Amino acid sequence: MNLRSLRFFLAVAENNGVQKAAESLHLTQPNISRALKALEEELNAQLFVRTARGVEITEEGELLRMRAEEILSLVDKTKAEFVDSKGSELSGEVRIAAGESEGMRNVIRAMSLFKAIHPKVEFSVTSGNSANVAYQLNVGLSDLGIVFDPFDVSKYEYTRLPWKEDWCVYLRKDDPLAEEPFVTPQMLRDRPLILSAQTRGAGFLKSWLGRSLEELNVVAYFTLINTPKLMVEEGLGLMISFDNLIDLDPNGPLMIKPLAPKLHSATYLIRKKEKVLSRAAQAFHEYLKDYALSAEAAQNN
């Protein structure tokens, strides 16, 4: 397996056919077909099946596509880092994996200020839950991560940021709890709940709820926020998540209620231990930590 054959394979997958892939790469069809056949023989797997409309990727092909995209992304990133390291002006790409939260606004402000100082630096941001962020860091697809409790930060080099996230309940306005000033664990005892996948297997909510998740009526877990919002709208259950995560329409069907007692999540900036970052990523890592210290000092004054 080589990088050339992986690029050919991805071109066939993206174009749904060998002929269109050859045209996009400005190569002949036999060259692509031979490389594809050799790749299938090496992996002992069928990557595509022929259809009336071209080719269709197989399940094994989907697995290779995911790995090929990761491999080629790392190769391109490595090349770019060597080119960037030779210039006097700071440039290059800073790759950040982050969970969804209103607190990300502070990180984005730091990005904007940093970009004003170093206009040749570019940012690439991937959204996901903490498991996605950890994966991005572990395989080298991202340089830095932003995660929230519950998350085991001890495996990483981390900095606690001064921005906390408050938890709340998202519910329909016609729900009986809509008339309550806040929501307590007792009020949720027998209610269908929609929870972040990050809380599964963690004791974070257990201490607040006073019982294990297995004892609760959990109807769904989520990673990103739009689908669970629709679940709440359709009456599937109540969602426990960060407040200010969704820009709710005042005239829409949903509202939020604070928790009592209050529940907060700390925010962390993480990176792989002993990983050498590019000049741009290292510079932004230090800048964000300094920015957070200044913000914390301002909060305390």
Side-chain angles (χ1 to χ4, degrees), residues 226-243:
N226 189 60
T227 296
K229 171 180 176 287
L230 298 178
M231 291 178 182
V232 180
E233 289 181 357
E234 293 301 319
L236 184 62
L238 308 176
M239 178 173 64
I240 304 179
S241 187
F242 295 160
D243 66 1

Side-chain angles (χ1 to χ4, degrees), residues 53-215:
R53 293 177 294 179
V55 297
E56 183 176 316
I57 195 165
T58 64
E59 186 174 337
E60 290 174 311
E62 285 289 1
L63 175 60
L64 179 61
R65 171 153 64 178
M66 180 177 67
R67 297 303 182 208
E69 288 174 345
E70 293 173 356
I71 291 168
L72 294 175
S73 176
L74 287 173
V75 169
D76 293 341
K77 180 175 183 289
T78 302
K79 289 180 179 178
E81 287 173 352
F82 274 88
V83 171
D84 297 336
S85 67
K86 301 188 184 327
S88 57
E89 186 176 358
L90 192 65
S91 62
E93 185 178 37
V94 180
R95 301 187 179 194
I96 302 172
E100 292 187 324
S101 76
E102 175 63 20
M104 270 300 294
R105 186 181 299 277
N106 297 292
V107 178
I108 294 169
R109 286 171 179 159
M111 291 165 59
S112 179
L113 293 170
F114 186 83
K115 177 73 174 176
I117 302 170
H118 305 288
K120 289 190 176 182
V121 172
E122 297 179 350
F123 290 95
S124 173
V125 180
T126 301
S127 296
N129 65 7
S130 291
N132 302 135
V133 172
Y135 174 78
Q136 289 278 322
L137 288 183
N138 292 340
V139 301
L141 293 176
S142 292
D143 305 304
L144 307 172
I146 304 294
V147 295
F148 315 93
D149 286 329
F151 183 82
D152 182 9
V153 295
S154 64
K155 299 177 182 178
Y156 300 86
E157 180 182 325
Y158 68 91
T159 301
R160 184 165 179 160
L161 301 177
W163 309 299
K164 294 181 180 179
E165 298 297 330
D166 295 323
W167 290 70
C168 71
V169 172
Y170 290 79
L171 67 159
R172 288 169 55 104
K173 290 179 180 177
D174 59 1
D175 189 281
L177 293 180
E179 302 300 322
E180 301 292 338
F182 46 75
V183 174
T184 67
Q186 292 73 24
M187 294 176 181
L188 300 176
R189 184 169 294 272
D190 298 315
R191 299 298 304 275
L193 302 178
I194 302 167
L195 305 178
S196 166
Q198 190 170 328
T199 62
R200 179 184 283 173
F204 186 75
L205 276 180
K206 179 180 178 180
S207 59
W208 184 85
L209 291 164
R211 53 199 314 208
S212 67
L213 299 185
E214 290 74 17
E215 298 175 276

